[in-house]
Amino acid sequence: MKIIKSVSEFREAYKNADKPLGLVPTMGFLHEGHMSLVRRARDENATVAVSIFVNPTQFGPNEDLLDYPRDMESDLAMLGNAGVDLVFAPSANEIYPPGFDTQVDVGSIGSRLEGEHRPGHFKGVATVVCKLLAIVRPDRCYFGQKDAQQCLVIQRLNADLNLGAEIVVCPTIREPDGLALSSRNINLNPDERKASLVLYQALGKAKDMLESGEKDAEEIRGAMRRIIEHEPLAEIDYVSVADPFTLEELNEISGEALALMAVRIGKTRLIDNMMI
Ligand code: AMP
């Protein structure tokens, strides 16, 4: 496994890489959610590249950039065991050298929900993914459904700017009790870890209601909110039942809908979603 820190070194490695090449972009502190993407990429490509980059531009001024968990040694061991060929782990200066001044803004899909609650977040995500696609030039690029809106933003970006990668969306990996795996889960204390189950419970409730014939999306949002509000350690950022392609809030549900939420458990902000 080759560990590469600079863009020029990656270009060199790319020339000799067997194709197709699959890329899994991550911010590190890897868990089974990330590794499910890596394994899928390993199955489908001759060469697998994983990027590890905690992208400063997708964090707001009062967010957890400095506290974001990191463990490069363990990450590299996991990726080595999974048969990854190339790890791209650039510094912030390599990605944003002095004078850097271009941003990619993905319009309406990037402005709702997470976009509304984390201004500038998707601009940071879209810009860094655009750069990673330009540097790595993968045939396929792998993302997790856990970050459903991010997947939609990147599909839009990839189509609109003709970036030419196949965007592969992989299912959310959960703990046995339903909590979606996330690097941020490490920050939950035991009480908060218990409280975090309200996210999955609320999503389950949404699914049950729809399956029992409830078509009024506001009724479903209300029931989800009540479950979360019942937990004293939980504070809602948003709860949504939206069109799975546009993320516009639904009134009446006629086909598939996506239930999404962002909830603060203590200082830790968790997101989750489920197709219902
Ligand atoms: P992150 O390191 O949090 O930026 O995540 C890197 C990639 O892993 C993103 O495409 C995430 O959607 C994906 N991912 C994170 N957690 C999970 C999970 N629990 N299940 C599936 N994919 C995940």
Side-chain angles (χ1 to χ4, degrees):
M1 185 170 77
K2 210 165 172 178
I3 298 151
I4 298 173
K5 301 209 161 181
S6 75
V7 174
S8 57
E9 259 180 286
F10 200 97
R11 287 267 150 79
E12 209 45 49
Y14 179 84
K15 283 190 211 151
N16 303 319
D18 292 331
K19 311 289 180 310
L21 193 162
L23 169 67
V24 182
T26 81
M27 298 206 297
F29 207 71
L30 302 178
H31 51 63
E32 272 303 301
H34 299 111
M35 296 314 289
S36 70
L37 274 53
V38 170
R39 282 193 290 270
R40 173 92 178 260
R42 184 68 286 170
D43 283 348
E44 296 179 350
N45 300 279
T47 301
V48 175
V50 174
S51 61
I52 300 179
F53 181 60
V54 182
N55 175 36
T57 64
Q58 71 189 69
F59 288 79
N62 299 316
E63 294 184 357
D64 56 350
L65 172 62
L66 295 177
D67 297 335
Y68 196 82
R70 291 156 216 248
D71 189 343
M72 188 56 90
E73 207 176 310
S74 145
D75 290 351
L76 293 179
M78 288 166 84
L79 296 176
N81 287 336
V84 166
D85 303 293
L86 305 170
V87 176
F88 182 50
S91 67
N93 209 46
E94 181 70 13
I95 295 296
Y96 303 113
F100 182 89
D101 202 15
T102 301
Q103 250 125 43
V104 183
D105 190 348
V106 178
S108 68
I109 194 76
S111 65
R112 306 178 196 287
L113 304 175
E114 286 295 291
E116 212 176 310
H117 288 262
R118 302 182 70 186
H121 170 66
F122 282 127
K123 227 187 231 183
V125 169
T127 303
V128 81
V129 171
C130 194
K131 283 182 65 88
L132 288 171
L133 292 176
I135 295 164
V136 178
R137 299 180 206 180
D139 299 284
R140 302 192 181 93
C141 194
Y142 296 80
F143 295 90
Q145 175 66 22
K146 155 81 168 39
D147 297 277
Q149 190 175 6
Q150 173 169 279
C151 292
L152 293 168
V153 164
I154 285 159
Q155 282 164 333
R156 188 78 267 152
L157 163 79
N158 186 57
D160 287 357
L161 299 187
N162 306 95
L163 298 178
E166 181 191 335
I167 304 298
V168 182
V169 178
C170 305
T172 302
I173 305 297
R174 300 178 178 280
E175 298 282 4
D177 64 7
L179 177 66
L181 297 192
S182 161
S183 305
R184 290 186 170 99
N185 293 352
I186 187 95
N187 296 326
L188 299 169
N189 69 32
D191 287 339
E192 291 170 345
R193 174 66 184 76
K194 272 185 219 146
S196 68
L197 286 182
V198 289
L199 281 89
Y200 189 63
Q201 285 161 1
L203 292 172
K205 178 73 180 174
K207 200 168 168 54
D208 286 350
M209 286 175 78
L210 188 66
E211 281 171 5
S212 318
E214 180 60 76
K215 301 268 182 235
D216 184 338
E218 188 50 34
E219 283 296 321
I220 297 181
R221 284 186 288 267
M224 292 168 76
R225 276 193 217 104
R226 281 192 294 281
I227 288 177
I228 300 166
E229 282 162 1
H230 191 68
E231 167 52 60
L233 296 177
E235 198 189 320
I236 295 174
D237 252 14
Y238 62 80
V239 163
S240 165
V241 174
D243 178 284
F245 300 104
T246 64
L247 295 186
E248 278 170 290
E249 285 306 319
L250 292 173
N251 297 316
E252 171 95 2
I253 304 177
S254 54
E256 282 198 311
L258 189 63
L260 312 95
M261 61 181 67
V263 177
R264 288 170 200 277
I265 308 284
K267 285 198 174 108
T268 307
R269 185 173 183 278
L270 300 176
I271 59 171
D272 203 349
N273 70 87
M274 191 184 278
M275 210 61 162
I276 62 171

